[in-house]
Amino acid sequence: MSTLQSSIKSRKNIEIGYQSKFPYARPKEPKRKFVSPIIEKVIENITLNMKDKDLARLFENCWPNTLDTTVAWFDVSEDYPRAFIVTGDIPAMWLRDSTNQIISYVPYANDDDKLKKLILGVIYMQAEFVIKDPYANAFYAPHEAKLPHPKNPWSENDVTTPPPSNITWEKKWELDSLVSFLKLSHNYWYNTKDDSFLTNQVWLEAVNVVLNIMEKQQLGTMQEFGNEAYKFTRMTSTTTETLMLNGIGAPVKRIGLVKSQFRPSDDSTTFPFLIPSNAFASVELSHIYEMIDSTSPDIAKKAKNLSQTIRDSIYSNAIIQHKQFENIFAYEVDGYGSSNLMDDANLPSLLSLPYFDFIDKNDETYLKTREFILSDWNKFWFSGEKFHGVGSAHTGLGYIWPMSLCMKILTSSDDQEILETLQLLKESSAKSGFMHESFYYNDPKNYTRSWFAWANSLFGETILHVAKEKPHLIMIDNFKFF
């Protein structure tokens, strides 16, 4: 009997007494896109030992959702695997989403060779995309995958500089997209100790492209006026779907930060120096230096210098005095002295700065910023009769994102806050058994995107985090983390 079959048999044996108001919503094994015995073992270990069986059922459905449903193509190769991961209900692969969808499986990769190859396959696929169109945020599968290429209904009238490639789904310049490729690379290297890909020419070229794009996007608006490296316009009635000044975006002054014309929500920035994405970049650039200092010292040195420049500029230009919260991080700045004080639910966010290892979660400036974010001073904080959390302009007023609730837990040391937020996450599912993109603050049954793998993955990661760091909150006595 295989490890997986044993796990399934064991799972069936404990069905009696496993009472939950949520349905078991995973596809049956033959219909799962990818099966990992080690992931099944972890699911069993966690669910059997959780106090709250509703929470256990949500974890059981959500954490494997990326593997179960979104591995659209996996080219297994000993030396150069590739994998195409869709977001869920949108048949395209986002650099950011694919990283976040799969990253919580990385710690288990050495226990499953096929899973390890899948993750490396995502890295190589991302590297190819970055080389092909570094300003794009989402892509079609490569030709050899023989997957459908449906038209993106939102981008038919887009005009971009430079023009899109033949595999570009959407060409919104989002700094965090390129950084997400760096993050998955580092996370894989750190957890598996596999350094074979560090000298792969495709991967190295992609890293070099990332650094060159970041340096170009440090230029002030008037420094590149008339010769812009990137422009974007879209025929739309939604202002956050296009850029002002005929596609140039809001003007900025060079201060060492990197422009990002769109946020992780895919909405245009108010001011292009997006602080969470720059903070994220600073961290992952330092990781690139750590990874390749001995094998590619010139690239490594460039990454290290860029990392420090960005970090220094954030502390010089993005800490703003607020009349209620003293000194806090701005969400966006322009280098001329203007700032946008808010936070968005999408990651990276200001709330997530400790999660991305930019700052300690007990740092005074972060704590003040966090207090601001979780208050009605934040224009995208929504508080209803029962639910409260951070939303996004992307889904409109009143819609809370479960991802923001997960991040509240992942950056908290307060047991009561964690328990209360877990309860909100449970109820936000509206008995569907999954997380959603967003839900209305007075009616969780009114939600967007029933199949959004990133949110499911982050929920699973959140449960694993609590089980490891604060097991007394959700696990039975004597639980041992697998």
Side-chain angles (χ1 to χ4, degrees):
M1 183 181 292
S2 69
T3 304
L4 179 58
Q5 288 171 329
S6 176
S7 178
I8 291 172
K9 183 178 179 181
S10 174
R11 182 71 188 81
K12 287 180 178 177
N13 287 341
I14 55 88
E15 263 315 308
I16 298 173
Y18 190 108
Q19 300 298 322
S20 172
K21 66 184 178 186
F22 297 108
Y24 178 77
R26 295 183 65 186
K28 293 181 179 179
E29 187 189 344
K31 294 186 177 181
R32 294 177 190 171
K33 299 291 187 179
F34 188 97
V35 176
S36 167
I38 185 60
I39 297 303
E40 297 300 326
K41 276 188 174 183
V42 175
I43 292 169
E44 181 179 14
N45 181 46
I46 295 294
T47 54
L48 288 176
N49 289 285
M50 290 183 74
K51 299 175 185 176
D52 185 330
K53 296 309 177 185
D54 289 336
L55 210 56
R57 177 54 55 80
L58 281 176
F59 175 78
E60 184 177 26
N61 289 336
C62 290
W63 190 48
N65 186 245
T66 286
L67 299 180
D68 284 351
T69 67
T70 69
V71 181
W73 178 68
F74 180 30
D75 178 23
V76 180
S77 166
E78 195 65 37
D79 299 319
Y80 192 72
R82 292 182 299 162
F84 188 80
I85 310 291
V86 299
T87 68
D89 54 12
I90 301 176
M93 179 167 162
W94 263 252
L95 295 178
R96 169 186 56 253
D97 289 49
S98 58
T99 287
N100 287 293
Q101 284 170 244
I102 208 159
I103 204 160
S104 63
Y105 308 135
V106 176
Y108 307 99
N110 278 339
D111 295 309
D112 183 344
D113 287 342
K114 190 177 177 184
L115 178 65
K116 188 175 181 179
K117 279 189 179 181
L118 177 72
I119 297 163
L120 185 59
V122 174
I123 293 170
Y124 280 138
M125 190 80 267
Q126 290 179 342
E128 289 185 12
F129 289 154
V130 168
I131 293 168
K132 189 81 170 178
D133 194 346
Y135 285 109
N137 56 323
F139 299 85
Y140 291 105
H143 174 74
E144 55 270 32
K146 295 182 171 56
L147 292 176
H149 277 211
K151 286 186 178 180
N152 180 348
W154 303 287
S155 65
E156 289 183 338
N157 299 308
D158 293 357
V159 178
T160 67
T161 301
S165 75
N166 62 349
I167 58 168
T168 300
W169 169 271
E170 188 171 61
K171 196 180 179 75
K172 289 180 173 179
W173 161 233
E174 299 165 2
L175 172 59
D176 73 285
S177 289
L178 297 188
V179 182
S180 292
F181 158 64
L182 302 184
K183 179 185 178 181
L184 185 59
S185 298
H186 174 260
N187 203 278
Y188 173 82
W189 171 80
Y190 181 83
N191 280 279
T192 66
K193 311 305 178 190
D194 175 11
D195 60 2
S196 61
F197 71 100
L198 300 184
T199 54
N200 178 278
Q201 291 306 304
V202 174
W203 184 83
L204 276 174
E205 182 181 353
V207 171
N208 212 27
V209 167
V210 170
L211 299 182
N212 290 337
I213 292 292
M214 287 187 187
E215 287 185 332
K216 284 182 183 179
Q217 291 303 318
Q218 287 180 304
L219 290 173
T221 302
M222 294 310 296
Q223 287 181 293
E224 60 170 353
F225 181 51
N227 191 32
E228 291 81 13
Y230 174 81
K231 294 171 68 176
F232 179 100
T233 57
R234 172 175 290 180
M235 293 290 290
T236 177
S237 60
T238 305
T239 58
T240 53
E241 286 295 307
T242 191
L243 298 179
M244 65 186 297
L245 296 176
N246 295 314
I248 293 174
V252 296
K253 181 180 179 66
R254 180 170 186 149
I255 55 173
L257 296 177
V258 180
K259 297 192 291 290
S260 183
Q261 298 294 3
F262 289 88
R263 299 169 180 168
S265 61
D266 298 332
D267 297 327
S268 60
T269 48
T270 301
F271 302 124
F273 290 143
L274 179 58
I275 300 308
S277 293
N278 272 270
F280 183 28
S282 178
V283 171
E284 296 307 330
L285 288 167
S286 70
H287 287 159
I288 288 296
Y289 171 77
E290 177 188 356
M291 293 164 66
I292 63 173
D293 182 36
S294 61
T295 54
S296 302
D298 291 342
I299 300 176
K301 184 178 180 181
K302 184 190 286 190
K304 182 180 181 180
N305 291 339
L306 191 52
S307 170
Q308 192 60 52
T309 297
I310 293 170
R311 176 174 282 272
D312 290 345
S313 185
I314 289 173
Y315 277 94
S316 297
N317 298 285
I319 297 178
I320 308 298
Q321 191 169 29
H322 189 281
K323 65 180 182 180
Q324 179 77 14
F325 299 99
E326 301 173 9
N327 293 328
I328 63 173
F329 288 106
Y331 185 69
E332 297 163 346
V333 299
D334 65 358
Y336 290 105
S338 298
S339 60
N340 182 14
L341 301 184
M342 56 164 276
D343 202 20
D344 188 286
N346 284 265
L347 309 180
S349 60
L350 292 177
L351 185 61
S352 68
L353 292 180
Y355 170 79
F356 289 107
D357 293 326
F358 179 76
I359 198 169
D360 188 274
K361 67 180 180 181
N362 296 312
D363 178 271
E364 184 177 355
T365 304
Y366 173 72
L367 288 174
K368 290 292 185 181
T369 305
R370 190 178 194 274
E371 188 181 353
F372 159 79
I373 293 164
L374 305 179
S375 77
D376 59 11
W377 284 92
N378 174 14
K379 64 190 78 173
F380 291 105
W381 167 264
F382 305 122
S383 184
E385 295 175 5
K386 176 182 287 188
F387 296 95
H388 47 266
V390 182
S392 172
H394 194 68
T395 45
L397 297 176
Y399 282 84
I400 296 168
W401 286 54
M403 285 198 298
S404 76
L405 300 177
C406 290
M407 195 49 56
K408 187 178 178 182
I409 292 170
L410 289 166
T411 57
S412 179
S413 300
D414 186 310
D415 287 4
Q416 188 61 33
E417 181 180 56
I418 292 170
L419 288 172
E420 289 175 357
T421 309
L422 284 171
Q423 183 64 28
L424 294 181
L425 281 167
K426 276 199 311 182
E427 296 186 35
S428 78
S429 177
K431 298 184 180 181
S432 69
F434 290 110
M435 294 293 105
H436 305 120
E437 178 188 51
S438 70
F439 64 93
Y440 195 59
Y441 69 150
N442 277 330
D443 181 11
K445 295 187 294 297
N446 180 359
Y447 56 77
T448 61
R449 298 190 69 179
S450 59
W451 181 21
F452 184 40
W454 179 11
N456 289 323
S457 291
L458 187 62
F459 175 80
E461 183 180 344
T462 301
I463 295 299
L464 291 171
H465 169 83
V466 178
K468 184 176 182 180
E469 300 298 328
K470 288 181 173 287
H472 62 281
L473 295 181
I474 62 171
M475 310 305 293
I476 63 175
D477 293 341
N478 302 318
F479 164 74
K480 292 185 179 180
F481 194 83
F482 189 81

